[in-house]
């Protein structure tokens, strides 16, 4: 399955972004762990420092008592044991504030009991040296030292555990971040190369498009010039052809008027056939002129057209042939559309004239005109820009002689006839004019038919003409 360049780039940037976010999360966790370990280390150092101060103050007090016992000099009792006890108690409270671990708090409670005992020994020794004994002091101090060592061991164990986790995450973090960074760099390089190639390709395409646009504009100019020359040629040719036809017609009429009785019967028939051919030629030239000018719409000629009023005018023009065929026309109420009033008048006049011309001789002619409003998507317009635009689909149904469905597309081509000239008059241009007008109005026309049962012409027109900016 082919994956587009834009999709590859989006996927690549998504992977790179995910990798960068993952690396950022891992880095944050490692940094947080490092900060926590630093905090634990500072906590352990602070606890050890406080315990060391308490131990030093106790040992200084014990040394002072021993000196006093030996020398009986009061200088060894300054500062007093009460003051020393207050200082030790102050360090203990500081230690209490920084410890929040439940096992350590229990050790602090035990240490407090041991310190209270030690305070009593120190105070008693200061009052009467004979009361305190060296052995009791050493025993009490050993208990305090062991308890402090236990507390320091717990702090070191916690610090060691944190350090081990930090080492594990650090060793994992370095290769992970390296791999993620490498992936992001590779994806970034690939995206840069791809975008650079896409940018160069886009520049090339834009250059080719500008070249094509210039060529297209030149071709359009040539086509417009050619169309103008063809229109001028058709106009001049039609006038130039009309003159000899008028002379042929005039001379034929004078010939028949003066010498019909002198001409053999066969010669008179030939002259009649010549006059008939001249008449058909004149009609053909006029139809070609009409075809060349049909569908010519400019912004100035576009206006809102009331189709109901337009159909009344068309039916008024066709009143005589309708009465001749004993025809009846029924029509729905149709909405107004934007377009050329003259072009749409010609379109419906040709369609209705076609229905009148090909009426069945076995029954009275009936023509039914219906309309419905649809969206561009429902009528399957090729342009997505007009998918939500409103369209009017008009159906002109008759009960005439119909036609073979195989010729549904052929009847809109110029000079295409399904019947001979001897059967039905016409040049085969009328429906081609209808298609040209429908195309000029950004619409469509199609036909359905069944031999002996009738035909239907479906005209689809936009309610609003799309104006190019």
């Amino acid at each position: 399955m082919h994956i587009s360049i834009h999709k590859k780039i989006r996927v690549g940037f998504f992977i790179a972004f995910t990798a960068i976010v993952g690396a950022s999360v891992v880095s944050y966790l490692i940094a947080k762990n490092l900060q926590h370990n630093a905090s634990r280390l500072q906590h352990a150092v602070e606890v050890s420092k406080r315990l060391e101060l308490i131990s030093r103050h106790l040992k200084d007090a014990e040394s002072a008592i021993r000196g006093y016992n030996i020398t009986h000099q009061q200088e060894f009792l300054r500062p007093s044991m009460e003051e020393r006890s207050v200082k030790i108690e102050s360090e203990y409270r500081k230690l209490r504030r920084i410890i929040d671990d439940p096992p350590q708090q229990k050790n602090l409670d035990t240490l407090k009991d041991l310190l209270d005992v030690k305070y009593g020994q120190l105070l008693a020794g200061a009052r009467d040296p004979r009361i305190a004994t060296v052995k009791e002091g050493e025993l009490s101090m050993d208990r305090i030292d062991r308890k402090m060592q236990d507390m320091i061991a717990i702090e070191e164990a916690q610090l060691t555990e944190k350090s081990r986790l930090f080492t594990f995450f650090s060793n994992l973090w370095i290769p992970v971040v390296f791999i993620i960074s490498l992936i992001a760099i590779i994806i970034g390089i690939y995206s840069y190369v791809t975008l650079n190639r896409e940018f160069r390709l886009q520049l090339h395409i834009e250059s080719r498009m500008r070249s094509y646009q210039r060529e297209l504009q030149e071709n359009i100019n040539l086509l417009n010039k050619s169309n103008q020359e063809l229109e001028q040629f058709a106009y001049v040719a039609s006038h130039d052809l009309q003159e000899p036809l008028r002379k042929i017609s005039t001379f034929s009429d004078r010939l028949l008027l003066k010498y019909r009785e002198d001409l053999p019967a066969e010669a008179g028939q030939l002259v009649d056939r010549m006059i008939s051919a001249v008449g058909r030629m004149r009609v053909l030239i006029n139809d070609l002129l009409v075809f060349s000018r049909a569908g010519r719409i400019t912004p100035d000629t576009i206006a809102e057209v009331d189709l109901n009023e337009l159909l009344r005018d068309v039916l008024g023009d066709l009143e005589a042939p309708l009465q001749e065929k004993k025809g009846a026309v029924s029509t729905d109420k149709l909405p107004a559309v934007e377009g050329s009033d003259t072009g749409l008048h010609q379109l419906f006049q040709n369609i209705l004239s076609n229905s009148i011309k090909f009426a069945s001789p076995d029954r009275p002619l009936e023509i039914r005109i219906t309309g419905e409003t649809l969206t561009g998507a429902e009528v399957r317009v090729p342009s997505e820009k007009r998918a939500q635009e409103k369209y009017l689909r008009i159906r002109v149904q008759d009960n005439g002689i119909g036609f073979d469905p195989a010729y549904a597309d052929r009847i809109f081509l110029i000079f295409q006839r399904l019947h001979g000239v001897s059967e039905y008059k016409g040049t085969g241009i009328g429906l081609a004019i209808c298609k040209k007008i429908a195309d000029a109005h950004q619409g469509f026309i199609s036909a359905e038919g069944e031999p002996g049962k009738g035909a239907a012409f479906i005209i689809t027109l936009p309610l609003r003409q799309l104006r190019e900016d």
Side-chain angles (χ1 to χ4, degrees), residues 134-151:
V134 175
K135 187 174 181 180
E136 289 178 353
E138 290 180 350
L139 184 61
S140 177
M141 195 64 201
D142 287 342
R143 292 195 188 99
I144 293 173
D145 286 339
R146 282 197 298 272
K147 183 52 65 178
M148 289 182 177
Q149 290 301 322
D150 291 342
M151 294 178 68

Side-chain angles (χ1 to χ4, degrees), residues 15 20 28 46 49 81 85 110 114 151 166 176 178 195 202 224 274 310 323 334 350 358 402 404 431 458-459 461 465:
I15 295 174
I20 293 172
Y28 171 76
E46 187 70 17
K49 177 182 175 182
M81 291 300 109
S85 298
T110 303
L114 294 174
M151 294 178 68
F166 174 72
V176 167
F178 175 75
L195 285 173
Q202 188 68 26
N224 289 334
M274 182 178 63
L310 183 142
Q323 289 179 353
L334 301 176
N350 285 357
F358 296 104
D404 191 333
L431 292 181
I458 299 93
I459 307 159
L461 300 171
Q465 292 293 308

Side-chain angles (χ1 to χ4, degrees), residues 186-313:
I186 292 173
I187 292 175
I189 294 174
Y190 171 77
S191 300
Y192 171 77
V193 172
T194 303
L195 285 173
N196 193 36
R197 186 171 64 243
E198 190 76 8
F199 178 70
R200 290 199 300 270
L201 179 61
Q202 188 68 26
L203 289 179
H204 177 70
I205 292 174
E206 289 179 357
S207 176
R208 294 295 298 273
M209 286 296 295
R210 285 193 293 268
S211 175
Y212 290 150
Q213 286 176 351
R214 286 194 298 269
E215 293 177 3
L216 179 61
Q217 188 60 46
E218 291 174 0
N219 291 333
I220 290 173
N221 293 335
L222 289 174
L223 183 60
N224 289 334
K225 185 178 180 181
S226 176
N227 286 337
Q228 290 175 358
E229 291 175 351
L230 285 174
E231 288 180 4
Q232 291 175 359
F233 172 77
Y235 181 78
V236 172
S238 65
H239 281 71
D240 290 345
L241 288 173
Q242 292 283 10
E243 181 60 28
L245 286 177
R246 279 194 295 270
K247 287 183 178 180
I248 294 173
S249 178
T250 301
F251 293 154
S252 300
D253 291 340
R254 291 174 64 184
L255 179 64
L256 289 178
L257 183 62
K258 289 185 178 182
Y259 305 107
R260 174 178 284 277
E261 294 181 357
D262 298 333
L263 291 174
E266 185 178 356
Q269 293 175 1
L270 291 175
V271 173
D272 288 337
R273 292 173 63 184
M274 182 178 63
I275 293 173
S276 177
V278 169
R280 290 198 303 273
M281 185 65 178
R282 186 174 293 168
V283 172
L284 178 60
I285 291 172
N286 290 330
D287 286 351
L288 282 173
L289 274 176
V290 172
F291 178 78
S292 66
R293 296 168 180 170
R296 190 181 303 169
I297 298 178
T298 62
D300 296 336
T301 61
I302 294 177
E304 190 172 83
V305 179
D306 186 346
L307 293 180
N308 303 291
E309 184 177 346
L310 183 142
L311 284 173
R312 282 195 296 270
D313 293 342

Side-chain angles (χ1 to χ4, degrees), residues 428-442:
I429 298 178
L431 292 181
I433 292 175
C434 292
K435 185 176 188 310
K436 197 172 181 182
I437 295 172
D439 291 343
H441 282 80
Q442 304 172 19

Side-chain angles (χ1 to χ4, degrees), residues 13-70:
F13 274 113
F14 175 76
I15 295 174
F17 177 76
T18 304
I20 293 172
V21 170
S24 301
V25 171
V26 172
S27 301
Y28 171 76
L29 293 176
I30 295 299
K32 189 174 182 180
N33 188 268
L34 178 62
Q35 184 181 8
H36 186 65
N37 282 344
S39 177
R40 289 302 306 177
L41 176 61
Q42 184 179 1
H43 181 269
V45 170
E46 187 70 17
V47 170
S48 298
K49 177 182 175 182
R50 297 299 173 191
L51 290 174
E52 184 180 353
L53 285 174
I54 292 173
S55 177
R56 189 169 69 230
H57 289 323
L58 287 174
K59 289 177 180 179
D60 289 344
E62 193 174 47
S63 298
I65 291 297
R66 289 177 181 173
Y68 178 68
N69 287 340
I70 295 172

Side-chain angles (χ1 to χ4, degrees), residues 157 162 224 271 354 394:
K162 294 292 182 181
N224 289 334
V271 173
N354 192 80
I394 304 169

